[in-house]
Amino acid sequence: MPDIRERVEEDQGILKKIQSVIPGFRGYRKKEDLRDADRMLRMQLADKLGLQRRGLEECRGVLVQSYGSKEIETLGGLIFTFKKVEGLVTHAEMGYSGIAADIQIKEDELDRLYEFDAAMLDHITSIAASIDSLKNSLMAADEQNSYKDLMNIKARITAFEDQFNRRMNVIQGTEV
């Protein structure tokens, strides 16, 4: 995946380029660019989660058509969880800190925030593989494997949510 931070820096407009050479503004500009790159990355994470949620909704359709079973309730709960996590990622903190904030967010911490968010893509890749497995199990009407796949997806989205909730504490070094 290309590094969005580099793209944001390359595509600076004339105003941003002027700001980057003015003493006192350069650090501000750099931090704003890092926050923008992280925001764009999180939007991609949320889009990818939405794509996986739609895959689950397709599975729900297959489940209803093939054999309406007890998994339909579990699948509905998972779809709800995906929507909740998509909202969490979309509206997550961007690393802002005020002038007199208790904990200041520095440039290297914004870089770490971006790296942390980029690492979340691995979680989505594993979720996608689990959803593919669920689709195959449902198409084969294999209830036992369908249930195992559902539990696997549930564990993976829960792990994603837990990891994402820790992001600011890990970056700020305030996690206890």
Side-chain angles (χ1 to χ4, degrees):
M1 183 182 130
D3 194 328
I4 298 172
R5 293 173 293 189
E6 293 171 8
R7 182 67 195 266
V8 167
E9 193 170 318
E10 288 172 7
D11 291 347
Q12 287 182 336
I14 188 72
L15 183 60
K16 288 181 179 181
K17 287 182 180 174
I18 290 170
Q19 289 173 341
S20 69
V21 294
I22 297 173
F25 239 72
R26 182 186 174 131
Y28 167 79
R29 181 75 265 150
K30 180 90 174 153
K31 286 181 180 178
E32 285 302 309
D33 288 347
L34 288 171
R35 288 182 185 109
D36 285 344
D38 187 56
R39 181 186 49 76
M40 285 187 249
L41 176 63
R42 281 185 299 100
M43 294 302 109
Q44 288 185 24
L45 283 172
D47 288 346
K48 289 181 185 295
L49 280 172
L51 183 66
Q52 298 314 312
R53 178 182 41 82
R54 286 188 290 281
L56 283 175
E57 289 169 346
E58 289 174 20
C59 290
R60 181 172 55 186
V62 170
L63 194 59
V64 168
Q65 290 174 358
S66 61
Y67 60 98
S69 70
K70 59 186 182 261
E71 282 88 8
I72 197 84
E73 188 175 321
T74 304
L75 196 51
L78 270 175
I79 291 169
F80 175 77
T81 301
F82 269 75
K83 286 181 180 178
K84 180 181 76 172
V85 174
E86 284 174 55
L88 173 74
V89 171
T90 301
H91 303 292
E93 297 175 66
M94 294 174 33
Y96 275 107
S97 61
I99 293 172
D102 292 335
I103 298 174
Q104 294 286 320
I105 304 291
K106 299 193 171 34
E107 201 172 301
D108 61 327
E109 291 167 330
L110 287 173
D111 262 332
R112 288 181 44 218
L113 187 62
Y114 178 89
E115 298 293 336
F116 188 93
D117 288 347
M120 299 302 289
L121 287 170
D122 293 338
H123 284 275
I124 294 175
T125 301
S126 64
I127 288 170
S130 296
I131 291 174
D132 286 343
S133 179
L134 176 63
K135 286 178 185 172
N136 291 333
S137 297
L138 290 173
M139 296 299 278
D142 184 344
E143 286 189 50
Q144 189 173 9
N145 276 336
S146 296
Y147 182 76
K148 285 175 28 183
D149 291 333
L150 281 170
M151 293 302 106
N152 192 8
I153 294 166
K154 185 176 182 178
R156 291 180 189 272
I157 191 65
T158 300
F160 180 96
E161 183 180 12
D162 290 346
Q163 183 74 12
F164 198 79
N165 282 332
R166 293 180 49 228
R167 69 195 280 270
M168 288 306 288
N169 293 338
V170 169
I171 300 306
Q172 293 173 339
T174 58
E175 187 174 59
V176 288

mmCIF file of all heavy atoms in Angstrom, residues 37-67:
data_model
loop_
_atom_site.group_PDB
_atom_site.id
_atom_site.type_symbol
_atom_site.label_atom_id
_atom_site.label_comp_id
_atom_site.label_asym_id
_atom_site.label_seq_id
_atom_site.Cartn_x
_atom_site.Cartn_y
_atom_site.Cartn_z
ATOM 1 N N ALA A 37 -3.158 12.804 6.423
ATOM 2 C CA ALA A 37 -2.806 11.473 5.909
ATOM 3 C C ALA A 37 -3.442 10.389 6.773
ATOM 4 O O ALA A 37 -3.993 9.412 6.251
ATOM 5 C CB ALA A 37 -1.288 11.306 5.870
ATOM 6 N N ASP A 38 -3.402 10.569 8.089
ATOM 7 C CA ASP A 38 -4.007 9.580 8.974
ATOM 8 C C ASP A 38 -5.520 9.533 8.782
ATOM 9 O O ASP A 38 -6.119 8.459 8.769
ATOM 10 C CB ASP A 38 -3.663 9.894 10.434
ATOM 11 C CG ASP A 38 -4.141 8.799 11.372
ATOM 12 O OD1 ASP A 38 -3.753 7.629 11.144
ATOM 13 O OD2 ASP A 38 -4.906 9.094 12.294
ATOM 14 N N ARG A 39 -6.141 10.693 8.616
ATOM 15 C CA ARG A 39 -7.593 10.738 8.389
ATOM 16 C C ARG A 39 -7.950 9.991 7.101
ATOM 17 O O ARG A 39 -8.885 9.194 7.076
ATOM 18 C CB ARG A 39 -8.075 12.188 8.302
ATOM 19 C CG ARG A 39 -9.584 12.320 8.081
ATOM 20 C CD ARG A 39 -10.007 13.774 7.863
ATOM 21 N NE ARG A 39 -9.212 14.486 6.876
ATOM 22 C CZ ARG A 39 -9.326 14.336 5.552
ATOM 23 N NH1 ARG A 39 -10.208 13.512 5.065
ATOM 24 N NH2 ARG A 39 -8.548 15.017 4.730
ATOM 25 N N MET A 40 -7.162 10.208 6.038
ATOM 26 C CA MET A 40 -7.429 9.508 4.776
ATOM 27 C C MET A 40 -7.251 8.003 4.941
ATOM 28 O O MET A 40 -8.034 7.208 4.400
ATOM 29 C CB MET A 40 -6.502 10.033 3.679
ATOM 30 C CG MET A 40 -6.901 11.395 3.171
ATOM 31 S SD MET A 40 -5.913 11.870 1.747
ATOM 32 C CE MET A 40 -4.945 13.169 2.445
ATOM 33 N N LEU A 41 -6.222 7.610 5.685
ATOM 34 C CA LEU A 41 -5.991 6.177 5.926
ATOM 35 C C LEU A 41 -7.160 5.572 6.700
ATOM 36 O O LEU A 41 -7.657 4.490 6.367
ATOM 37 C CB LEU A 41 -4.682 5.975 6.692
ATOM 38 C CG LEU A 41 -4.368 4.540 7.097
ATOM 39 C CD1 LEU A 41 -4.201 3.655 5.864
ATOM 40 C CD2 LEU A 41 -3.125 4.493 7.956
ATOM 41 N N ARG A 42 -7.632 6.275 7.731
ATOM 42 C CA ARG A 42 -8.756 5.751 8.511
ATOM 43 C C ARG A 42 -10.016 5.650 7.662
ATOM 44 O O ARG A 42 -10.813 4.727 7.825
ATOM 45 C CB ARG A 42 -9.013 6.610 9.746
ATOM 46 C CG ARG A 42 -8.034 6.327 10.869
ATOM 47 C CD ARG A 42 -8.339 7.073 12.145
ATOM 48 N NE ARG A 42 -8.303 8.508 11.969
ATOM 49 C CZ ARG A 42 -9.373 9.280 11.804
ATOM 50 N NH1 ARG A 42 -10.574 8.754 11.816
ATOM 51 N NH2 ARG A 42 -9.249 10.579 11.641
ATOM 52 N N MET A 43 -10.212 6.586 6.735
ATOM 53 C CA MET A 43 -11.372 6.500 5.843
ATOM 54 C C MET A 43 -11.278 5.240 4.991
ATOM 55 O O MET A 43 -12.279 4.567 4.750
ATOM 56 C CB MET A 43 -11.480 7.737 4.948
ATOM 57 C CG MET A 43 -11.774 9.044 5.678
ATOM 58 S SD MET A 43 -13.287 8.984 6.636
ATOM 59 C CE MET A 43 -12.626 8.976 8.289
ATOM 60 N N GLN A 44 -10.052 4.907 4.562
ATOM 61 C CA GLN A 44 -9.875 3.674 3.790
ATOM 62 C C GLN A 44 -10.151 2.448 4.658
ATOM 63 O O GLN A 44 -10.757 1.475 4.196
ATOM 64 C CB GLN A 44 -8.465 3.603 3.205
ATOM 65 C CG GLN A 44 -8.267 4.583 2.070
ATOM 66 C CD GLN A 44 -6.917 4.412 1.414
ATOM 67 O OE1 GLN A 44 -6.300 3.364 1.463
ATOM 68 N NE2 GLN A 44 -6.450 5.486 0.783
ATOM 69 N N LEU A 45 -9.686 2.499 5.922
ATOM 70 C CA LEU A 45 -9.971 1.388 6.844
ATOM 71 C C LEU A 45 -11.477 1.219 7.013
ATOM 72 O O LEU A 45 -12.002 0.102 6.946
ATOM 73 C CB LEU A 45 -9.341 1.648 8.218
ATOM 74 C CG LEU A 45 -7.851 1.435 8.366
ATOM 75 C CD1 LEU A 45 -7.389 1.932 9.738
ATOM 76 C CD2 LEU A 45 -7.489 -0.022 8.209
ATOM 77 N N ALA A 46 -12.177 2.328 7.211
ATOM 78 C CA ALA A 46 -13.635 2.264 7.390
ATOM 79 C C ALA A 46 -14.311 1.740 6.125
ATOM 80 O O ALA A 46 -15.246 0.931 6.204
ATOM 81 C CB ALA A 46 -14.177 3.643 7.762
ATOM 82 N N ASP A 47 -13.836 2.171 4.948
ATOM 83 C CA ASP A 47 -14.404 1.670 3.698
ATOM 84 C C ASP A 47 -14.197 0.160 3.572
ATOM 85 O O ASP A 47 -15.088 -0.576 3.143
ATOM 86 C CB ASP A 47 -13.784 2.377 2.492
ATOM 87 C CG ASP A 47 -14.256 3.809 2.353
ATOM 88 O OD1 ASP A 47 -15.250 4.192 3.016
ATOM 89 O OD2 ASP A 47 -13.617 4.564 1.592
ATOM 90 N N LYS A 48 -13.000 -0.298 3.936
ATOM 91 C CA LYS A 48 -12.706 -1.735 3.849
ATOM 92 C C LYS A 48 -13.561 -2.520 4.849
ATOM 93 O O LYS A 48 -14.028 -3.622 4.552
ATOM 94 C CB LYS A 48 -11.218 -1.993 4.065
ATOM 95 C CG LYS A 48 -10.365 -1.513 2.905
ATOM 96 C CD LYS A 48 -8.903 -1.791 3.128
ATOM 97 C CE LYS A 48 -8.049 -1.202 2.021
ATOM 98 N NZ LYS A 48 -8.256 -1.758 0.722
ATOM 99 N N LEU A 49 -13.775 -1.954 6.028
ATOM 100 C CA LEU A 49 -14.674 -2.611 6.983
ATOM 101 C C LEU A 49 -16.089 -2.663 6.424
ATOM 102 O O LEU A 49 -16.792 -3.669 6.576
ATOM 103 C CB LEU A 49 -14.679 -1.856 8.319
ATOM 104 C CG LEU A 49 -13.504 -2.129 9.247
ATOM 105 C CD1 LEU A 49 -13.547 -1.166 10.437
ATOM 106 C CD2 LEU A 49 -13.513 -3.569 9.742
ATOM 107 N N GLY A 50 -16.515 -1.590 5.779
ATOM 108 C CA GLY A 50 -17.848 -1.570 5.169
ATOM 109 C C GLY A 50 -17.980 -2.633 4.096
ATOM 110 O O GLY A 50 -19.023 -3.288 3.973
ATOM 111 N N LEU A 51 -16.921 -2.819 3.329
ATOM 112 C CA LEU A 51 -16.918 -3.859 2.304
ATOM 113 C C LEU A 51 -17.079 -5.239 2.939
ATOM 114 O O LEU A 51 -17.854 -6.080 2.445
ATOM 115 C CB LEU A 51 -15.626 -3.783 1.493
ATOM 116 C CG LEU A 51 -15.484 -4.742 0.336
ATOM 117 C CD1 LEU A 51 -16.506 -4.438 -0.751
ATOM 118 C CD2 LEU A 51 -14.074 -4.676 -0.240
ATOM 119 N N GLN A 52 -16.378 -5.465 4.042
ATOM 120 C CA GLN A 52 -16.486 -6.760 4.731
ATOM 121 C C GLN A 52 -17.891 -6.933 5.320
ATOM 122 O O GLN A 52 -18.452 -8.025 5.305
ATOM 123 C CB GLN A 52 -15.425 -6.882 5.821
ATOM 124 C CG GLN A 52 -14.009 -6.821 5.285
ATOM 125 C CD GLN A 52 -13.797 -7.688 4.059
ATOM 126 O OE1 GLN A 52 -14.188 -8.864 4.045
ATOM 127 N NE2 GLN A 52 -13.205 -7.132 3.009
ATOM 128 N N ARG A 53 -18.469 -5.839 5.846
ATOM 129 C CA ARG A 53 -19.828 -5.911 6.383
ATOM 130 C C ARG A 53 -20.810 -6.292 5.282
ATOM 131 O O ARG A 53 -21.689 -7.125 5.491
ATOM 132 C CB ARG A 53 -20.238 -4.578 7.017
ATOM 133 C CG ARG A 53 -21.675 -4.576 7.542
ATOM 134 C CD ARG A 53 -22.094 -3.241 8.114
ATOM 135 N NE ARG A 53 -21.662 -2.086 7.381
ATOM 136 C CZ ARG A 53 -22.273 -1.593 6.294
ATOM 137 N NH1 ARG A 53 -23.334 -2.192 5.810
ATOM 138 N NH2 ARG A 53 -21.810 -0.511 5.704
ATOM 139 N N ARG A 54 -20.631 -5.717 4.106
ATOM 140 C CA ARG A 54 -21.523 -6.073 2.998
ATOM 141 C C ARG A 54 -21.368 -7.556 2.645
ATOM 142 O O ARG A 54 -22.329 -8.229 2.277
ATOM 143 C CB ARG A 54 -21.272 -5.166 1.796
ATOM 144 C CG ARG A 54 -21.845 -3.760 2.029
ATOM 145 C CD ARG A 54 -21.789 -2.910 0.784
ATOM 146 N NE ARG A 54 -20.432 -2.517 0.401
ATOM 147 C CZ ARG A 54 -19.738 -1.523 0.973
ATOM 148 N NH1 ARG A 54 -20.264 -0.822 1.943
ATOM 149 N NH2 ARG A 54 -18.521 -1.243 0.565
ATOM 150 N N GLY A 55 -20.153 -8.085 2.770
ATOM 151 C CA GLY A 55 -19.938 -9.520 2.568
ATOM 152 C C GLY A 55 -20.734 -10.345 3.572
ATOM 153 O O GLY A 55 -21.314 -11.378 3.231
ATOM 154 N N LEU A 56 -20.766 -9.862 4.805
ATOM 155 C CA LEU A 56 -21.572 -10.555 5.823
ATOM 156 C C LEU A 56 -23.056 -10.464 5.495
ATOM 157 O O LEU A 56 -23.807 -11.421 5.711
ATOM 158 C CB LEU A 56 -21.320 -9.943 7.206
ATOM 159 C CG LEU A 56 -20.026 -10.329 7.894
ATOM 160 C CD1 LEU A 56 -19.870 -9.550 9.196
ATOM 161 C CD2 LEU A 56 -19.969 -11.821 8.157
ATOM 162 N N GLU A 57 -23.477 -9.327 4.985
ATOM 163 C CA GLU A 57 -24.886 -9.184 4.625
ATOM 164 C C GLU A 57 -25.254 -10.140 3.486
ATOM 165 O O GLU A 57 -26.345 -10.698 3.466
ATOM 166 C CB GLU A 57 -25.192 -7.726 4.264
ATOM 167 C CG GLU A 57 -25.160 -6.816 5.484
ATOM 168 C CD GLU A 57 -25.203 -5.336 5.170
ATOM 169 O OE1 GLU A 57 -24.988 -4.961 3.989
ATOM 170 O OE2 GLU A 57 -25.426 -4.558 6.101
ATOM 171 N N GLU A 58 -24.292 -10.358 2.556
ATOM 172 C CA GLU A 58 -24.513 -11.360 1.503
ATOM 173 C C GLU A 58 -24.654 -12.753 2.126
ATOM 174 O O GLU A 58 -25.514 -13.541 1.714
ATOM 175 C CB GLU A 58 -23.357 -11.365 0.506
ATOM 176 C CG GLU A 58 -23.306 -10.149 -0.390
ATOM 177 C CD GLU A 58 -22.043 -10.141 -1.249
ATOM 178 O OE1 GLU A 58 -21.414 -11.199 -1.434
ATOM 179 O OE2 GLU A 58 -21.689 -9.042 -1.707
ATOM 180 N N CYS A 59 -23.819 -13.024 3.109
ATOM 181 C CA CYS A 59 -23.901 -14.325 3.796
ATOM 182 C C CYS A 59 -25.265 -14.482 4.455
ATOM 183 O O CYS A 59 -25.839 -15.577 4.455
ATOM 184 C CB CYS A 59 -22.800 -14.446 4.848
ATOM 185 S SG CYS A 59 -21.153 -14.614 4.164
ATOM 186 N N ARG A 60 -25.764 -13.415 5.031
ATOM 187 C CA ARG A 60 -27.083 -13.472 5.661
ATOM 188 C C ARG A 60 -28.146 -13.830 4.625
ATOM 189 O O ARG A 60 -29.033 -14.639 4.896
ATOM 190 C CB ARG A 60 -27.408 -12.133 6.330
ATOM 191 C CG ARG A 60 -28.765 -12.147 7.024
ATOM 192 C CD ARG A 60 -29.024 -10.924 7.850
ATOM 193 N NE ARG A 60 -28.871 -9.702 7.065
ATOM 194 C CZ ARG A 60 -28.924 -8.490 7.574
ATOM 195 N NH1 ARG A 60 -29.114 -8.322 8.859
ATOM 196 N NH2 ARG A 60 -28.769 -7.441 6.799
ATOM 197 N N GLY A 61 -28.023 -13.257 3.430
ATOM 198 C CA GLY A 61 -28.966 -13.586 2.365
ATOM 199 C C GLY A 61 -28.897 -15.057 1.989
ATOM 200 O O GLY A 61 -29.931 -15.711 1.808
ATOM 201 N N VAL A 62 -27.677 -15.572 1.886
ATOM 202 C CA VAL A 62 -27.509 -16.998 1.559
ATOM 203 C C VAL A 62 -28.100 -17.852 2.663
ATOM 204 O O VAL A 62 -28.790 -18.846 2.406
ATOM 205 C CB VAL A 62 -26.007 -17.333 1.355
ATOM 206 C CG1 VAL A 62 -25.800 -18.839 1.257
ATOM 207 C CG2 VAL A 62 -25.460 -16.622 0.137
ATOM 208 N N LEU A 63 -27.860 -17.459 3.890
ATOM 209 C CA LEU A 63 -28.358 -18.210 5.038
ATOM 210 C C LEU A 63 -29.882 -18.273 5.050
ATOM 211 O O LEU A 63 -30.474 -19.326 5.286
ATOM 212 C CB LEU A 63 -27.846 -17.555 6.324
ATOM 213 C CG LEU A 63 -27.956 -18.321 7.614
ATOM 214 C CD1 LEU A 63 -27.214 -19.648 7.530
ATOM 215 C CD2 LEU A 63 -27.401 -17.491 8.752
ATOM 216 N N VAL A 64 -30.504 -17.156 4.763
ATOM 217 C CA VAL A 64 -31.967 -17.103 4.757
ATOM 218 C C VAL A 64 -32.520 -17.983 3.635
ATOM 219 O O VAL A 64 -33.491 -18.715 3.834
ATOM 220 C CB VAL A 64 -32.456 -15.646 4.608
ATOM 221 C CG1 VAL A 64 -33.947 -15.593 4.300
ATOM 222 C CG2 VAL A 64 -32.151 -14.860 5.874
ATOM 223 N N GLN A 65 -31.878 -17.935 2.467
ATOM 224 C CA GLN A 65 -32.368 -18.717 1.326
ATOM 225 C C GLN A 65 -32.125 -20.207 1.486
ATOM 226 O O GLN A 65 -32.936 -21.027 1.061
ATOM 227 C CB GLN A 65 -31.701 -18.237 0.035
ATOM 228 C CG GLN A 65 -32.168 -16.872 -0.384
ATOM 229 C CD GLN A 65 -31.378 -16.359 -1.580
ATOM 230 O OE1 GLN A 65 -30.459 -17.004 -2.073
ATOM 231 N NE2 GLN A 65 -31.749 -15.176 -2.060
ATOM 232 N N SER A 66 -30.988 -20.580 2.076
ATOM 233 C CA SER A 66 -30.637 -21.991 2.130
ATOM 234 C C SER A 66 -31.264 -22.709 3.320
ATOM 235 O O SER A 66 -31.885 -23.731 3.168
ATOM 236 C CB SER A 66 -29.122 -22.174 2.133
ATOM 237 O OG SER A 66 -28.572 -21.550 3.263
ATOM 238 N N TYR A 67 -31.084 -22.227 4.471
ATOM 239 C CA TYR A 67 -31.639 -22.899 5.647
ATOM 240 C C TYR A 67 -31.691 -21.892 6.801
ATOM 241 O O TYR A 67 -30.731 -21.650 7.465
ATOM 242 C CB TYR A 67 -30.818 -24.119 6.042
ATOM 243 C CG TYR A 67 -29.381 -23.850 6.387
ATOM 244 C CD1 TYR A 67 -28.987 -23.712 7.719
ATOM 245 C CD2 TYR A 67 -28.425 -23.726 5.394
ATOM 246 C CE1 TYR A 67 -27.664 -23.454 8.027
ATOM 247 C CE2 TYR A 67 -27.111 -23.482 5.703
ATOM 248 C CZ TYR A 67 -26.725 -23.344 7.020
ATOM 249 O OH TYR A 67 -25.424 -23.090 7.323
#
